Amino acid sequence: MNYFAPITVAERYANGRPNFHSNTISHVKGFLKLEHKFNSALDIACGTGLSTQALLEIASHVYGTDSSKAMLDFALQKDKINYQIAKAEEQAFENNFFDLITVCSGVHWFDIDKFLMETSRLLKNRAWLILYDNFFLAEMEGVPKFKEWYKTNYLKTFPAPARIVSYNWTNENLDKVKFNFFKEEKFSNAVSFTKNELVLYFTTQSNIISKVENNETNYRDTEIWLNGELNAFFMNENDTKTFLFGNWIKYLQKIS
């Protein structure tokens, strides 16, 4: 099931996902020691384009693809970015076209072997595949009890749906698809939410989306439950709390 295809999910993504992507791209720019923009870059599983628009900082021609038409209907900066509907493993571009391909918070939903074969086809020799994620650590600044609530209340009520949790990223395995694994970088991002903003963010997680799409709950009842649960951590509607998100970046380079 594609949990991110419905229009209701796309609307929530467009309004509720934090924009941390420029920070990640600044790490990429530093690691690659970029002095000039790439000619062409592709963002796969681009969603509503938060991750895609960040590529405008480092590429002259930016493309974004997603399998959800609804997501692309909400895509950002369509006047500057070429968006197309496509599965991650089946792209419509010609061979050796891109200098850079990125994926944000999506590779765990792919057939990774097929995806790597396709990106190897699309990339120029010595070009880069950058995979990254920004995930909720449930660490509220100064409030350790929040993480306990997240584990014992939230995750028990809304467990994560099945996804790929591990892959063999060794060069021995990647050699068959002509990639060399260079580095994994790890750091954290601070993101601030009001209670309503945090509720909206939670409803963009696949934990909740999967239950709604399987008719086990609905967004209205879920929002009521979340508001009641989160009252313990927010003084009022305007109260803002800071949370840490974990971020990792995997740097892969295509080899001949």
Side-chain angles (χ1 to χ4, degrees):
M1 175 184 291
N2 183 352
Y3 296 117
F4 308 101
I7 187 70
T8 51
V9 176
E11 288 176 330
R12 289 172 182 277
Y13 251 68
N15 295 310
R17 281 271 157 168
N19 189 353
F20 64 90
H21 306 80
S22 289
N23 181 42
T24 302
I25 294 304
S26 70
H27 283 254
V28 172
K29 185 177 181 180
F31 174 76
L32 298 181
K33 297 181 172 60
L34 292 181
E35 296 181 359
H36 306 285
K37 285 187 174 184
F38 289 117
N39 179 56
S40 58
L42 168 64
D43 187 35
I44 293 178
C46 66
T48 58
L50 281 172
S51 53
T52 320
Q53 70 173 0
L55 291 179
L56 293 169
E57 302 170 30
I58 59 171
S60 299
H61 300 94
V62 176
Y63 299 77
T65 62
D66 199 279
S67 60
S68 168
K69 180 183 180 300
M71 285 285 185
L72 296 184
D73 285 343
F74 285 90
L76 299 164
Q77 301 204 48
K78 292 180 181 178
D79 58 327
K80 297 179 181 179
I81 298 170
N82 184 321
Y83 288 105
Q84 299 180 27
I85 299 174
K87 294 181 179 179
E89 305 86 354
E90 299 174 13
Q91 300 288 312
F93 305 100
E94 63 187 57
N95 295 351
N96 309 309
F97 187 78
F98 291 104
D99 301 292
L100 173 72
I101 294 176
T102 59
V103 178
C104 172
S105 304
V107 72
H108 47 268
W109 301 113
F110 301 167
D111 182 324
I112 297 179
D113 287 328
K114 289 183 178 179
F115 162 74
L116 290 174
M117 290 179 63
E118 182 68 339
T119 51
S120 180
R121 179 186 71 80
L122 295 171
L123 286 168
K124 300 173 184 177
N125 190 35
R126 312 298 294 176
W128 292 92
L129 171 62
I130 307 294
L131 311 174
Y132 65 101
D133 200 357
N134 194 67
F135 52 94
F136 191 66
L137 292 173
E139 295 181 5
M140 179 189 282
E141 190 175 83
V143 187
K145 287 186 177 181
F146 181 84
K147 192 160 192 173
E148 180 182 344
W149 169 83
Y150 185 77
K151 290 180 177 179
T152 59
N153 290 36
Y154 179 78
L155 290 181
K156 286 186 177 179
T157 306
F158 298 101
R163 68 193 70 195
I164 296 171
V165 296
S166 64
Y167 183 79
N168 183 6
W169 294 104
T170 64
N171 284 327
E172 181 181 8
N173 184 55
L174 293 172
D175 185 67
K176 64 188 178 184
V177 286
K178 298 183 178 180
F179 276 112
N180 185 30
F181 187 95
F182 259 71
K183 177 185 178 181
E184 180 172 8
E185 182 179 359
K186 294 182 179 181
F187 54 97
S188 60
N189 293 316
V191 179
S192 295
F193 293 103
T194 64
K195 185 180 70 168
N196 288 338
E197 288 170 343
L198 183 58
V199 168
L200 179 57
Y201 167 71
F202 276 141
T203 64
T204 72
Q205 290 186 336
S206 58
N207 306 51
I208 288 175
I209 295 169
S210 60
K211 282 214 165 188
V212 171
E213 294 305 311
N214 287 320
N215 296 314
E216 297 176 45
T217 187
N218 57 67
Y219 286 119
R220 181 178 180 277
D221 289 345
T222 299
E223 288 167 345
I224 291 171
W225 181 83
L226 284 168
N227 269 287
E229 291 285 312
L230 293 173
N231 278 337
F233 302 103
F234 290 84
M235 295 176 60
N236 53 56
E237 297 299 313
N238 296 317
D239 191 17
T240 300
K241 301 294 184 181
T242 300
F243 298 82
L244 280 183
F245 281 63
N247 197 306
W248 56 255
I249 309 173
K250 291 180 171 65
Y251 296 91
L252 287 74
Q253 187 175 39
K254 180 182 174 180
I255 54 178
S256 57

